């Protein structure tokens, strides 16, 4: 890895190098916190987790061919070199910041309450039409996941990095590592209200991403979001906006639903217009396409390249991934959930064939208003053209009651636990159903998807 000799690593993180002068000049081949993934010649970062202490695996990793280890424990005299630091979690961020600076490539930072991952995927799909670009894998978007993503960079020309937070100060620390040249912010919703209090607090916390903007940076914001619309200038930079309203710099018209196959639309940009098919259903996916188009224009792509990137973007497991089986059409959207994304997914479910069934679970980290926010989803669902809602979890009881009180015309049932719901589903579902499965991650609804797949 470029410039990551053991000596440079120690200097970057303020660690104490213990080893020979000859080994100090050796560059590592990779950096991992998972002991099972450390490559030969790589560095193992020993993290003290809530359940597992990585320091227990140091000897095993070194015997497997690793070059060194980053440790919080003084290992004494060893036949291999190591780097001693006060905090491996802080050190790994310092090393990632040093490594990324040395690569000197532009970084696109994706932030927001809802839709970060799908926007990241769309933006990467677009920018990959003109660049060798790396993107965040899975949910590696926090203070440990972001550095691990950065360490995957080798010969790429650009990085698209998702940046997720749950409290004040986190985005500041992430931005210090990533130092984005472009910021895309999707929206300001109701996630993490336990720590961030209200939507104004969420906006302040997300806006910490601007603390380490590179000179001449691009800022791309959802102009239809009432909170983001208040951001008119950041450090002398005027944001570019996207949305469905024609007031935005990038906007969409002539939306035509193709059912679960997506949405056809016309995309308007400051450099020209074009027709495109967004391959995943829902208006929120059109917003993602507009964000990707804005990034494409910022980096000099042609409209033909941007259109190709939008239309080649695919779905991910757990994120509105449509699975056709002999018995059902399953919409696997159970990676996570919040009130905004739950409502958007329920709206799209209306485009399904035959009976349209929502299998829903509790949403987490909503603060003191959690029951009211669940009830809000139930009230919204009552006005949709759906056939059944089956829910699990104590908070979803409020959702079910609100749907019933709102006059929901289909069948609505509540179960105390996910397992209770799973036991009941075979008798509730019918051949040909289109089924949405959605809940926060802690509800472990992927098990329901696997059961439905048979």
């Amino acid at each position: 890895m470029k410039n990551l000799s053991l000596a440079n690593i120690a200097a970057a993180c303020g660690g104490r190098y213990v080893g020979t002068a000859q080994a100090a000049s050796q560059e590592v081949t990779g950096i991992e916190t998972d002991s099972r993934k450390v490559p030969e010649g790589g560095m193992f970062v020993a993290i003290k987790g809530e359940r597992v202490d990585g320091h227990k695996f140091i000897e095993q990793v070194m015997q497997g061919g690793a070059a060194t280890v980053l440790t919080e424990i003084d290992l004494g005299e060893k036949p291999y070199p190591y780097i001693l630091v006060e905090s491996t979690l802080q050190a790994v961020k310092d090393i990632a910041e040093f490594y990324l600076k040395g690569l000197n490539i532009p970084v696109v930072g994706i932030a927001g309450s809802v839709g970060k991952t799908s926007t990241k995927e769309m933006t990467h799909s677009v920018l990959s039409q003109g660049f060798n670009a790396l993107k965040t894998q899975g949910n590696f978007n926090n203070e440990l996941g972001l550095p691990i993503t950065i360490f995957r960079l080798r010969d790429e020309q650009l990085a698209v990095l998702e940046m997720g937070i749950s409290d004040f100060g986190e985005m500041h620390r992430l931005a210090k590592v990533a130092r984005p040249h472009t910021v895309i912010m999707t929206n300001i919703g109701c996630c993490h209200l336990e720590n961030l209090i209200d939507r104004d607090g969420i906006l302040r916390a997300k806006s910490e991403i601007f603390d380490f903007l590179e000179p001449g940076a691009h800022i791309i914001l959802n102009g239809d979001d009432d909170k983001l619309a208040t951001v008119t200038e950041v450090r002398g930079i005027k944001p570019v906006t996207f949305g469905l309203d024609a007031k935005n710099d990038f906007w969409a018209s002539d939306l035509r639903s193709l059912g679960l196959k997506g949405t056809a639309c016309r995309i308007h940009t400051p450099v020209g217009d074009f027709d495109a098919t967004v391959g995943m259903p829902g208006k929120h996916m059109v917003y993602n396409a507009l964000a990707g188009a804005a990034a494409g224009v910022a980096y000099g792509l042609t409209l033909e390249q941007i259109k190709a990137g939008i239309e080649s973007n695919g779905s991910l497991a757990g994120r509105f991934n449509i699975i056709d089986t002999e018995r059902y059409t399953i919409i696997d959207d159970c990676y996570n959930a919040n009130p905004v994304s739950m409502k958007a997914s329920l709206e799209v479910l209306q485009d399904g064939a035959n009976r349209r069934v929502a299998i829903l679970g509790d949403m987490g980290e909503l603060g003191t208003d959690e029951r009211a926010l669940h009830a809000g989803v139930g009230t919204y669902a009552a006005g949709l053209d759906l056939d059944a809602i089956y829910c699990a979890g104590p908070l979803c009881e409020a959702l079910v009651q609100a749907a019933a009180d709102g006059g929901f015309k289909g069948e609505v049932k509540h179960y105390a636990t996910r397992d209770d719901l799973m036991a009941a589903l075979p008798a509730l579902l019918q051949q040909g159903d289109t089924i949405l499965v959605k809940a926060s991650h802690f509800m472990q609804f992927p098990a329901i998807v696997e059961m439905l797949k048979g």
Side-chain angles (χ1 to χ4, degrees):
M1 298 176 69
K2 183 179 178 182
N3 293 329
L4 286 190
S5 66
L6 305 196
N8 283 348
I9 290 172
C13 64
R16 177 164 67 88
Y17 171 72
V18 181
T20 66
Q22 182 180 4
S25 63
Q26 177 183 353
E27 289 186 347
V28 298
T29 58
I31 299 176
E32 294 286 351
T33 58
D34 187 333
S35 61
R36 299 164 296 182
K37 296 180 179 179
V38 181
E40 185 172 353
M43 181 172 78
F44 174 50
V45 181
I47 300 285
K48 289 183 179 179
E50 293 181 5
R51 283 177 273 182
V52 179
D53 185 352
H55 292 82
K56 296 179 179 179
F57 303 99
I58 289 176
E59 296 302 325
Q60 175 186 329
V61 171
M62 297 309 299
Q63 290 171 10
T68 191
V69 63
L70 194 68
T71 172
E72 294 177 3
I73 298 174
D74 191 333
L75 304 177
E77 293 296 323
K78 289 291 181 181
Y80 52 80
Y82 64 90
I83 298 168
L84 179 64
V85 295
E86 183 176 337
S87 165
T88 50
L89 179 57
Q90 181 58 50
V92 81
K93 289 184 285 187
D94 294 337
I95 298 163
E97 180 183 350
F98 170 80
Y99 180 57
L100 188 55
K101 280 182 180 178
L103 295 178
N104 194 30
I105 63 171
V107 170
V108 179
I110 311 289
S113 295
V114 181
K116 291 187 296 296
T117 297
S118 54
T119 301
K120 175 256 299 181
E121 293 292 326
M122 179 68 78
T123 301
H124 178 265
S125 183
V126 169
L127 293 176
S128 291
Q129 302 300 312
F131 299 90
N132 176 13
L134 177 135
K135 64 181 179 181
T136 302
Q137 293 291 343
N139 64 336
F140 277 57
N141 63 6
N142 60 18
E143 292 188 64
L144 184 55
L146 179 73
I148 295 303
T149 298
I150 290 170
F151 294 142
R152 291 176 43 233
L153 285 163
R154 293 296 185 274
D155 301 319
E156 287 83 2
Q157 301 165 295
L158 184 147
V160 183
L161 303 179
E162 183 178 333
M163 301 165 71
I165 64 164
S166 60
D167 208 344
F168 293 104
E170 286 183 68
M171 187 63 81
H172 177 90
R173 296 188 292 271
L174 290 174
K176 183 177 184 295
V177 175
R179 297 180 182 267
H181 300 72
T182 300
V183 168
I184 298 176
M185 204 172 297
T186 61
N187 48 58
I188 301 299
C190 299
C191 302
H192 311 299
L193 290 175
E194 287 178 325
N195 298 323
L196 302 178
I197 312 302
D198 55 23
R199 290 182 67 224
D200 288 326
I202 293 170
L203 176 61
R204 290 196 304 274
K206 302 287 185 186
S207 296
E208 292 172 7
I209 196 172
F210 302 135
D211 292 352
F212 292 92
L213 284 178
E214 288 293 296
H218 307 284
I219 298 174
I220 301 171
L221 305 179
N222 180 348
D224 289 351
D225 183 278
D226 61 323
K227 296 299 181 183
L228 291 178
T230 66
V231 182
T232 57
E233 184 179 300
V234 179
R235 297 169 62 181
I237 302 169
K238 184 180 184 299
V240 167
T241 62
F242 64 91
L244 300 185
D245 194 305
K247 69 181 180 182
N248 293 294
D249 301 296
F250 292 78
W251 59 286
S253 66
D254 306 311
L255 273 67
R256 180 168 57 88
S257 173
L258 305 176
L260 296 183
K261 294 183 179 179
T263 304
C265 63
R266 185 158 185 80
I267 292 179
H268 305 267
T269 84
V271 295
D273 307 336
F274 61 94
D275 295 317
T277 298
V278 182
M280 285 179 283
K283 288 192 297 185
H284 58 292
M285 292 306 303
V286 177
Y287 278 92
N288 297 345
L290 291 167
V297 169
Y299 284 91
L301 270 61
T302 66
L303 295 183
E304 290 76 15
Q305 287 174 311
I306 293 170
K307 174 183 170 72
I310 290 170
E311 297 189 335
S312 64
N313 182 55
S315 61
L316 295 172
R319 300 186 187 264
F320 223 92
N321 182 31
I322 298 172
I323 304 167
D324 289 313
T325 72
E326 292 182 0
R327 186 166 174 79
Y328 311 119
T329 296
I330 306 164
I331 303 172
D332 174 12
D333 199 22
C334 59
Y335 175 76
N336 219 334
N338 56 66
V340 174
S341 66
M342 189 81 86
K343 291 175 183 177
S345 296
L346 287 168
E347 184 177 342
V348 174
L349 178 60
Q350 296 180 109
D351 292 328
N354 303 319
R355 284 205 329 149
R356 286 137 316 164
V357 178
I359 298 177
L360 308 177
D362 286 356
M363 301 174 286
E365 299 183 319
L366 297 180
T368 56
D369 292 333
E370 57 186 3
R371 290 191 66 83
L373 290 167
H374 279 77
V377 173
T379 300
Y380 183 82
L384 300 178
D385 187 14
L386 304 175
D387 297 285
I389 300 174
Y390 305 132
C391 294
L395 295 174
C396 268
E397 187 174 9
L399 188 158
V400 167
Q401 187 63 52
D405 292 345
F408 181 67
K409 296 178 182 179
E411 183 178 41
V412 57
K413 290 182 178 291
H414 175 259
Y415 298 86
T417 69
R418 184 207 65 180
D419 290 345
D420 291 339
L421 172 59
M422 289 178 68
L425 283 176
L428 297 173
L429 300 176
Q430 300 176 16
Q431 178 80 30
D433 284 353
T434 297
I435 305 167
L436 168 69
V437 185
K438 189 167 181 66
S440 280
H441 190 62
F442 70 89
M443 291 294 292
Q444 299 181 334
F445 267 35
I448 295 180
V449 173
E450 291 304 311
M451 182 187 79
L452 297 178
K453 287 164 62 177

